[in-house]
Amino acid sequence: MKKPTLEQIAIECGVTKGLVSRALGGKNNVSDATREKIIRKATELGYDTSKLKVHKVASNRVLLIGSSRILFKEDFWQPIITAISSTLSRNNLIVEYLTFEEDKIDDGLLKKLKESSVSAFIIIHVAPKQIMDTLVVKGKPIVIVDPKTFHSEATQFKFSNYDSTYLAVQRLIQQGHTNIAFYGSDSHS
């Protein structure tokens, strides 16, 4: 059997020849589902897949999640999101973005999160319970930037001393602590 061309595989899969090339070449910019479809069809057509480059699923992709209200608020969040994206890129991590409407967490969004094959999640500010519940089950690292509420399953960091102190005290109370003190200067209390 003659080896099929990339163009033949592309026609059979209904994708471009370039996408077939990237999928069979183990490149990162191909979804896992599309890669599997292309490899399956290539094998059916007689393509020797034994020497394909192994694609490390999710080893270098991070999903940045934020509400559209936050992600499109240029004055405060854009420099932070840009810095996060730049830092990840400098460390050879690919950033994918997912936006949601705070008042509309639907099954389609949760399905996307369940099917996501990234290696970690970064949530900006708002982390609704439905989203957190879906991500925690995946067992991947979760980082929340400036969270509105405390989530014990995630690494979190705050920009506001007031909010950080409030959340820390709230967590201590939840753990049963009753004697809590603040030590600091008058300018900070």
Side-chain angles (χ1 to χ4, degrees), residues 42-188:
T43 303
E44 288 173 15
L45 294 172
Y47 189 90
D48 180 10
T49 57
S50 65
K51 297 178 183 173
L52 290 181
K53 294 181 181 176
V54 177
H55 174 69
K56 295 180 183 175
V57 175
S59 64
N60 64 343
R61 293 182 2 236
V62 175
L63 184 61
L64 193 137
I65 305 166
S67 75
S68 58
R69 177 182 67 84
I70 296 296
L71 291 182
F72 300 122
K73 190 174 183 179
E74 293 182 21
D75 58 336
F76 182 75
W77 287 105
Q78 284 306 312
I80 294 167
I81 293 166
T82 300
I84 291 169
S85 298
S86 296
T87 301
L88 293 171
S89 288
R90 279 194 308 275
N91 288 283
N92 298 315
L93 294 165
I94 297 168
V95 182
E96 297 178 6
Y97 298 88
L98 179 67
T99 60
F100 65 92
E101 298 301 323
E102 291 177 35
D103 59 348
K104 187 182 175 196
I105 308 297
D106 61 15
D107 291 338
L109 171 70
L110 299 177
K111 183 180 179 191
K112 284 180 186 176
L113 292 171
K114 285 177 189 170
E115 294 175 352
S116 175
S117 59
V118 297
S119 57
F121 302 95
I122 298 174
I123 302 173
I124 305 295
H125 194 54
V126 179
K129 182 176 179 354
Q130 305 98 308
I131 289 177
M132 284 302 296
D133 290 348
T134 301
L135 297 181
V136 167
V137 171
K138 294 186 71 67
K140 304 287 183 179
I142 304 169
V143 175
I144 306 175
V145 179
D146 203 33
K148 285 179 75 170
T149 55
F150 181 80
H151 296 279
S152 60
E153 307 86 3
T155 300
Q156 303 169 86
F157 59 93
K158 297 285 286 175
F159 299 116
S160 163
N161 289 339
Y162 175 83
D163 288 344
S164 298
T165 303
Y166 176 82
L167 288 175
V169 170
Q170 188 178 36
R171 181 69 173 154
L172 290 170
I173 291 169
Q174 287 173 352
Q175 292 177 337
H177 298 278
T178 55
N179 294 321
I180 302 169
F182 172 75
Y183 294 98
S185 68
D186 289 340
S187 64
H188 291 92

Side-chain angles (χ1 to χ4, degrees), residues 32-51:
D32 295 328
T34 301
R35 181 184 315 280
E36 289 174 24
K37 174 183 166 183
I38 290 170
I39 291 173
R40 188 172 38 255
K41 183 53 74 176
T43 303
E44 288 173 15
L45 294 172
Y47 189 90
D48 180 10
T49 57
S50 65
K51 297 178 183 173

